[in-house]
């Protein structure tokens, strides 16, 4: 276990309330190691604690055939020791690939690398990681204009079959794990989002037509407050998934607050309201298998790097503030999870 984590007194801060839906958050390894107060927040509030980046390809297999499981092991053991659930993100993505994979230029080599990676990682964590994002973000950003599939190394060399290959290898190597497709922009109002939801349903049908097991869809939930949640469209999507025998999880919730007013209290209220709109639409259709945020406190978020606040104010995308105090967003999430 990681040095930074061992020193914490976890006994007084264990999650005690049983929620009807488990709540989790993604934990970046560097913060897990360097910031014990931040890690303690996960211990206090999360039913599921899982690696944000430590299970990605570039973290596990930076050089061909040389696997380093140590960082993922540290976070997973930490969650296990505390009796918490966890989550596997992710086998196949267009991003977070090491240079040697980016340089693959033959289909047979791509297929061999893909199968070997999924098999090795899935079997290494079999029985420990209960759910895997087998593929992440394979739907085109704008399916009506770019075709249903997102461009990637895997698409260029193997076409849509790379998704079948990954699901087949995962089902074989991790027979007890839930297998999921995870994607973004599935919750909003507008034709591009309708098309993305439709493309996900087509992907589920494609896998099922090939007798490949698909158990759940991860709806990421990176929310833009300027784009309204599609209450009806999201509800229909979740019910359509249910009719196909597929569940759902909310996997990466945060609020991209770059256009919200700089005033912190007002911004927090608006962000909480928007998360409430997502939860209301989703929970009205069916209960998710879990709800997770992408990080837990405003201290660390990808949004500060990629979409800093337009007025230069520090971003406030997550349920806890920089001082690790709960914000209205956390109250809203608790209301839905514990109701
Ligand atoms: O938040 C993650 C960031 O720390 C990583 O550098 C980046 C590349 O690995 O991935 C970010 O997480 C992404 C997730 O894996 C998939 N959905 C979007 C997330 C935010 O970009």
């Amino acid at each position: 276990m990681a040095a930074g984590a061992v020193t914490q007194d976890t006994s007084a801060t264990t999650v005690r309330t049983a929620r009807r839906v488990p709540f989790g958050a993604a934990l970046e390894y560097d913060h897990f190691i360097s910031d014990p107060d931040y890690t303690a927040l996960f211990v206090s509030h999360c039913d599921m604690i899982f690696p944000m980046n430590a299970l990605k390809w570039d973290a596990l297999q930076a050089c061909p055939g040389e696997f380093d499981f140590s960082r993922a092991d540290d976070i997973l053991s930490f969650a296990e020791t505390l009796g918490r659930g966890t989550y596997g993100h992710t086998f196949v993505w267009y991003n977070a690939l090491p240079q040697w994979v980016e340089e693959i230029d033959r289909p047979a080599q791509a297929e061999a690398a893909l199968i070997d990676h999924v098999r090795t990682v899935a079997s290494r964590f079999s029985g420990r990681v209960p759910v895997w994002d087998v593929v992440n973000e394979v739907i085109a950003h704008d399916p009506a204009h770019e075709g249903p599939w997102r461009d990637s190394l895997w698409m260029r060399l193997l076409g849509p079959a790379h998704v079948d290959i990954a699901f087949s290898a995962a089902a074989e190597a991790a027979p007890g794990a839930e297998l999921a497709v995870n994607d973004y922009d599935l919750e909003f109002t507008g034709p591009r989002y309708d098309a993305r939801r439709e493309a996900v349903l087509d992907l589920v049908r494609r896998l099922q037509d090939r007798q490949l097991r698909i158990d759940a869809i991860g709806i990421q939930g990176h929310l833009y407050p300027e784009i309204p949640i599609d209450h009806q469209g999201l509800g229909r999507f979740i019910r359509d998934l249910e009719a196909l025998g597929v569940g759902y999880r909310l996997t990466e919730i945060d609020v991209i607050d770059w256009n919200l007013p700089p005033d912190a209290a007002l911004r927090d209220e608006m962000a909480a309201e928007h998360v409430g709109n997502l939860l209301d639409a989703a929970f009205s259709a069916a209960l998710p298998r879990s709800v997770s945020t992408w990080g837990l406190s405003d201290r660390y978020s990808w949004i500060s790097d990629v979409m800093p606040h337009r007025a230069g104010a520090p971003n406030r995308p997550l349920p806890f503030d920089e001082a690790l105090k709960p914000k209205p967003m956390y109250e809203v999430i608790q209301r839905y999870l514990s109701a």
Side-chain angles (χ1 to χ4, degrees):
M1 187 178 295
V6 195
T7 54
Q8 288 172 42
D9 172 16
T10 54
S11 54
T13 49
T14 310
V15 173
R16 289 199 178 86
T17 46
R19 300 177 169 114
R20 65 171 174 163
V21 173
F23 173 67
L27 178 55
E28 159 57 31
Y29 184 77
D30 290 348
H31 308 142
F32 169 61
I33 292 300
S34 66
D35 190 341
D37 292 342
Y38 178 69
T39 300
L41 192 70
F42 286 68
V43 178
S44 302
H45 299 285
C46 293
D47 308 304
M48 297 162 54
I49 301 173
F50 57 93
M52 176 179 279
N53 296 312
L55 285 169
K56 291 177 180 171
W57 195 311
D58 58 355
L60 292 176
Q61 195 188 176
C63 300
E66 289 175 26
F67 287 85
D68 177 1
F69 298 112
S70 59
R71 284 161 296 187
D73 267 335
D74 281 353
I75 297 179
L76 295 175
S77 311
F78 182 67
E80 285 159 0
T81 305
L82 293 162
R84 307 302 162 82
T86 187
Y87 192 91
H89 176 83
T90 173
F91 294 137
V92 181
W93 192 20
Y94 69 86
N95 198 1
L97 294 171
Q99 192 57 34
W100 71 271
V101 175
E102 298 279 8
E103 283 167 5
I104 293 176
D105 56 6
R106 287 182 302 116
Q109 201 190 354
E111 181 168 353
L114 186 60
I115 292 175
D116 178 62
H117 184 82
V118 175
R119 264 195 200 144
T120 306
V121 178
S123 53
R124 173 66 169 65
F125 294 110
S126 184
R128 291 180 71 196
V129 172
V131 40
W132 277 105
D133 289 337
V134 177
V135 297
N136 185 47
E137 301 174 2
V138 290
I139 302 302
H141 185 72
D142 188 354
H145 297 102
E146 303 159 31
W149 303 91
R150 187 182 183 111
D151 178 54
S152 70
L153 170 105
W154 309 113
M155 270 306 289
R156 287 192 292 277
L157 292 173
L158 299 170
H162 81 275
V163 176
D164 314 336
I165 293 167
F167 269 87
S168 170
E172 212 183 291
E178 177 183 309
L179 304 182
V181 164
N182 191 49
D183 223 311
Y184 67 96
D185 279 3
L186 297 174
E187 53 285 275
F188 304 123
T189 307
R192 184 166 73 78
Y193 312 104
D194 290 336
R196 288 180 57 80
R197 289 187 282 268
E198 217 30 70
V200 171
L201 290 166
D202 286 344
L203 167 51
V204 169
R205 290 184 203 107
R206 174 194 170 90
L207 290 167
Q208 293 183 336
D209 285 350
R210 287 164 173 73
Q211 269 75 54
L212 291 163
R213 179 164 65 85
I214 156 90
D215 301 303
I217 298 301
I219 297 172
Q220 292 185 358
H222 295 292
L223 303 181
Y224 294 82
E226 54 272 44
I227 315 177
I229 301 292
D230 187 340
H231 196 284
Q232 289 208 337
L234 180 59
R236 201 165 41 240
F237 176 57
I238 290 169
R239 284 190 298 272
D240 286 349
L241 288 171
E242 231 182 13
L244 291 164
V246 171
Y248 83 101
R249 294 171 182 269
L250 297 169
T251 52
E252 303 187 13
I253 294 176
D254 52 24
V255 175
I256 296 156
D257 62 337
W258 59 348
N259 289 322
L260 291 183
D263 179 81
L266 179 58
R267 190 145 39 109
D268 287 352
E269 286 302 334
M270 294 174 84
E273 188 188 331
H274 207 64
V275 170
N277 291 343
L278 169 68
L279 297 179
D280 188 47
F283 277 64
S284 319
L287 284 188
R289 296 183 181 178
S290 61
V291 170
S292 303
T293 52
W294 205 242
L296 194 54
S297 128
D298 297 336
R299 203 175 271 195
Y300 309 111
S301 167
W302 69 288
I303 293 172
S304 315
D305 300 328
V306 179
M307 287 173 277
H309 193 272
R310 302 270 198 217
N315 288 84
R316 303 180 67 85
L318 286 159
F320 290 82
D321 70 10
E322 247 187 287
L324 312 180
K325 296 279 175 286
K327 295 160 53 185
M329 190 191 298
Y330 188 62
E331 310 306 324
V332 167
I333 293 173
Q334 285 321 297
R335 205 163 64 233
Y336 281 89
L337 269 51
S338 307

